[in-house]
Amino acid sequence: MKSSFCFDTAALVSLGHTDILPLIIDNFYVIISKGVLEELKDIARHGDDDSRSAKKWLDYQREFEIRNIPRKRHAEDELFEICKSEDHLFVSDDIIAIKQFKSDNVKCYYSVHIIFLLYYKEKISKERALLNIEKMRTKRDWKTNLITIAARTLFN
């Protein structure tokens, strides 16, 4: 049985910079809100690396569940409602949202945790996992932030 995760736009864009989207779709049940879908479509209109990442996810939109819940100011808040009511795990690279949701007892992960889970399930090698995390770090311009620290902790 696949584990269910609610993904926000930031996490999807980060993971879209990798070569493992088919593995994510095959191994996890991806849940997003209509707000996240709209944000992906908006990002896809630009001509940069994040745009190409968003387009990759839009190619897979038939493979995941898009929840039609009342629109909120932030798409993360829509996902929060889903996670809270259905006890799903929340995946985000928005450090502020993670901090807020953890204080409300929602189980939260960064995108690097998804890569680690694929490694843990022996779907990818450690080398491939680390290479994909490095791709995300470079494309998303992460320095030494909580996400990169989490990745180092997971793989050490």
Side-chain angles (χ1 to χ4, degrees):
M1 180 178 199
K2 293 182 183 182
S3 298
S4 297
F5 294 94
C6 290
F7 287 83
D8 79 349
T9 310
L12 292 176
V13 169
S14 295
L15 289 164
H17 291 298
T18 70
D19 64 3
I20 59 172
L21 266 65
L23 288 170
I24 294 169
I25 296 295
D26 288 346
N27 287 278
F28 306 112
Y29 190 66
V30 176
I31 301 169
I32 66 170
S33 66
K34 282 234 178 201
V36 170
L37 180 62
E38 291 307 313
E39 288 179 358
L40 284 173
K41 288 177 179 179
D42 185 52
I43 292 168
R45 289 185 188 106
H46 304 98
D48 59 8
D49 289 333
D50 286 349
S51 170
R52 287 182 282 285
S53 173
K55 286 176 185 174
K56 283 185 190 179
W57 280 106
L58 291 171
D59 289 343
Y60 283 100
Q61 68 182 299
R62 288 189 179 98
E63 302 293 326
F64 43 83
E65 184 175 342
I66 303 167
R67 296 287 181 89
N68 189 14
I69 63 171
R71 208 51 180 118
K72 304 250 183 230
R73 184 172 175 206
H74 301 284
E76 290 86 3
D77 295 328
E78 297 167 12
L79 296 171
F80 175 75
E81 299 274 329
I82 297 167
C83 292
K84 202 67 170 152
S85 66
E86 300 176 26
D87 198 33
H88 290 300
L89 303 168
F90 177 63
V91 183
S92 177
D93 286 346
D94 182 333
I95 294 169
I96 294 168
I98 293 271
K99 183 178 177 182
Q100 173 192 344
F101 290 179
K102 275 189 173 183
S103 69
D104 288 325
N105 296 318
V106 171
K107 296 175 190 117
C108 302
Y109 291 97
Y110 295 118
S111 58
V112 295
H113 287 98
I114 298 300
I115 294 175
F116 179 78
L117 288 172
L118 289 171
Y119 161 71
Y120 183 78
K121 293 172 93 173
E122 299 181 340
K123 301 296 180 181
I124 59 175
S125 67
K126 183 176 182 178
E127 293 76 23
R128 187 173 179 194
L130 293 172
L131 176 65
N132 279 291
I133 289 170
E134 182 60 22
K135 285 180 188 177
M136 291 188 327
R137 189 190 69 76
T138 302
K139 295 291 185 182
R140 298 294 277 169
D141 198 27
W142 295 336
K143 308 269 187 282
T144 304
N145 66 7
L146 291 175
I147 301 168
T148 58
I149 292 168
R152 286 184 195 144
T153 302
L154 289 167
F155 285 95
N156 284 330

